[in-house]
Amino acid sequence: MPVPQGAPTGAPAWPWPLHPTAPGSGTPCGPVGCRGLDPYRQRCDQDAVSVHRLRALGRTLTLRWSPACHAGWAEVEPARGTSGLLVAGDDGARQTAPAGAAWTAMIPGGPDATRAAVVVAHHQLGVSESDSWADAVTGGTGPG
């Protein structure tokens, strides 16, 4: 199956590990929400907004949020050469993607309580609704 239309450059080849959508649920992700689901497969990208974006170290890290799905996810472009990608919520929800992945699965919640991070070239790039940062990483290799 091809990469979904509108997916960022560097998106992984299909199949990607996904959970099925509940039919007739009234929301794109079903009655249990979008936690852990792919935003492109669930079509949450169709109304998504870019909450905050940071361009640094040759990468663009974007925190995305879908009003219809009431869920957020992280994207990085280009994805090649990254050590890890993370989206996390203030409630402890988090989804990580492996090195070189272009986006994470979704976490539920609003854009004001969600943040994204990626590690590239021994730096962690991060964004939240109202802030962005680029810090040197010492020790570990993944966002955390």
Side-chain angles (χ1 to χ4, degrees):
M1 184 180 291
V3 174
Q5 184 177 12
T9 303
W14 294 97
W16 221 44
L18 301 172
H19 304 282
T21 302
S25 63
T27 65
C29 298
V32 295
C34 296
R35 180 186 307 267
L37 300 180
D38 181 275
Y40 293 95
R41 186 58 154 280
Q42 301 303 323
R43 298 183 175 200
C44 294
D45 63 306
Q46 294 185 358
D47 75 332
V49 295
S50 294
V51 176
H52 199 108
R53 179 176 287 141
L54 171 64
R55 290 181 179 95
L57 301 172
R59 300 298 189 282
T60 301
L61 174 64
T62 306
L63 176 60
R64 308 255 307 169
W65 183 73
S66 165
C69 297
H70 198 68
W73 65 95
E75 294 183 0
V76 63
E77 190 174 328
R80 188 168 52 163
T82 61
S83 297
L85 183 60
L86 164 78
V87 63
D90 288 348
D91 64 355
R94 65 189 288 143
Q95 292 289 325
T96 58
W103 67 84
T104 64
M106 295 180 283
I107 61 170
D112 58 336
T114 308
R115 62 198 176 284
V118 66
V119 173
V120 61
H122 304 291
H123 286 79
Q124 183 184 73
L125 307 180
V127 294
S128 66
E129 182 181 46
S130 59
D131 196 13
S132 61
W133 60 93
D135 295 322
V137 173
T138 58
T141 59

